[in-house]
Amino acid sequence: MTVVASVPPLSPGRYAFFFDLDGTLAEIQPHPDSVLIPDTVKKTLKKLVDYCDGAVALVSGRSMTELDHLSAPLHLPLAGVHGAERRDAAGISHATQFDADLKRRIASALATELQPLKGAHLEKKSAAFALHYRQAPQYEKAIWQIAESLAAIHEEIDLQPGKCVIEVKLKGSDKGTAIDAFMQEAPFIGRIPVFLGDDLTDELGFDAVNRRQGISIKVGDGETRAQRRLEDVSDVWKWLDNTVRQFKEIDAGNPEENRQ
Ligand SMILES: [Mg+2]
């Protein structure tokens, strides 16, 4: 495992960047609504977007609506709800949706089961339900049992564990499939993918990047299949600064050749 200060010094035209949001670009907060990306970090991201001709995307468990809100005024390519929603660089949206009846039945079952677990929070997304227990860690086991019994009944759904959350989601999309989809499209195609993430859900993204001989970077502690590591969110911000500074130097050295 290598701790990294920036990407290897190649031209920005060689790279495509993918970032998880919570715990990677933004500090985790007790409640997800309090999370924000500092303006200075957004400005640096904007520079990265310009250097890489738009090959910068957010890949998160949040909905695309939330991602747009949190990253405004940037308007980036996005993968939300672990890849179930995606907006490509041309602005076209691709979405996997729950069957309306199935969604209603799952929502009702989860609401009933979680109701007695004080502090547990049910978040409904377009193609997933997030069962949060950050405020009620004593119910972790009970919540797992609820999710597992649902998954045993409905073969269309998959469980995705995260930090103090279990997501009940549709099978077939994850952060890896989202990165693969972007990598088949302009301006990502043909580039070296770089993905930074902090959570279990990011491991499938790391796998996708590793298969493409890209650069996978785990933020924080814990076992991972990523090749490299950054210590925490402030380390990610420094890494981003260094990467943009490096691109600036490369660009200044040979602007024509390096923007290709
Ligand atoms: Mg995260």
Side-chain angles (χ1 to χ4, degrees):
M1 184 73 64
T2 321
V3 176
V4 277
S6 70
V7 289
L10 299 174
S11 81
R14 298 285 303 278
Y15 290 110
F17 291 90
F18 301 95
F19 295 93
D20 167 54
L21 197 148
D22 295 75
T24 299
L25 285 176
E27 300 279 8
I28 288 177
Q29 302 294 338
H31 196 280
D33 291 350
S34 318
V35 166
L36 58 85
I37 305 175
D39 285 344
T40 50
V41 176
K42 288 185 197 174
K43 281 185 186 147
T44 315
L45 271 176
K46 173 72 173 80
K47 288 182 194 165
L48 187 71
V49 169
D50 291 343
Y51 277 122
C52 300
D53 298 318
V56 178
L58 300 180
V59 181
S60 166
R62 285 184 185 262
S63 69
M64 294 205 301
T65 308
E66 287 181 310
L67 293 175
D68 266 337
H69 174 69
L70 286 164
S71 59
L74 300 174
H75 188 74
L76 300 171
L78 303 172
V81 197
H82 308 286
E85 303 177 336
R86 199 171 70 83
R87 181 175 71 212
D88 64 26
I92 297 166
S93 291
H94 312 256
T96 319
Q97 295 279 353
F98 267 107
D99 167 79
D101 182 52
L102 176 64
K103 189 173 185 177
R104 240 187 332 267
R105 279 187 287 140
I106 292 178
S108 147
L110 287 175
T112 308
E113 302 256 24
L114 288 185
Q115 206 256 335
L117 309 183
K118 204 165 166 27
H121 167 62
L122 173 63
E123 183 191 356
K124 296 173 194 167
K125 307 182 185 182
S126 61
F129 296 89
L131 284 54
H132 296 277
Y133 55 88
R134 186 171 297 279
Q135 319 277 10
Q138 71 274 26
Y139 294 132
E140 177 178 0
K141 207 171 158 197
I143 290 175
W144 260 109
Q145 282 167 353
I146 292 168
E148 280 173 344
S149 60
L150 257 187
I153 303 168
H154 302 289
E155 61 175 21
E156 311 89 320
I157 64 176
D158 238 351
L159 302 182
Q160 172 64 61
K163 287 179 179 167
C164 300
V165 64
I166 304 165
E167 303 235 13
V168 175
K169 61 188 262 302
L170 279 175
K171 275 184 181 159
S173 53
D174 56 55
K175 291 194 176 185
T177 61
I179 289 174
D180 281 336
F182 281 123
M183 289 305 295
Q184 289 167 38
E185 301 165 350
F188 301 92
I189 192 163
R191 293 173 180 245
I192 301 166
V194 182
F195 176 47
L196 289 80
D198 70 306
D199 208 344
L200 294 171
T201 161
D202 299 310
E203 295 295 321
L204 295 167
F206 296 145
D207 291 340
V209 162
N210 292 344
R211 279 196 299 273
R212 292 172 180 273
Q213 280 77 51
I215 299 170
S216 49
I217 305 176
K218 162 85 173 177
V219 181
D221 297 334
E223 276 190 37
T224 183
R225 299 190 290 278
Q227 310 143 343
R228 306 170 189 221
R229 197 182 291 272
L230 289 166
E231 209 167 293
D232 52 26
V233 173
S234 63
D235 236 19
V236 172
W237 297 341
K238 282 183 217 144
W239 177 92
L240 194 55
D241 274 339
N242 289 342
T243 298
V244 167
R245 190 174 311 124
Q246 184 174 289
F247 285 162
K248 189 176 173 190
E249 285 165 13
I250 291 172
D251 220 28
N254 198 345
E256 284 308 310
E257 182 185 322
N258 286 314
R259 293 306 299 272
Q260 299 304 309

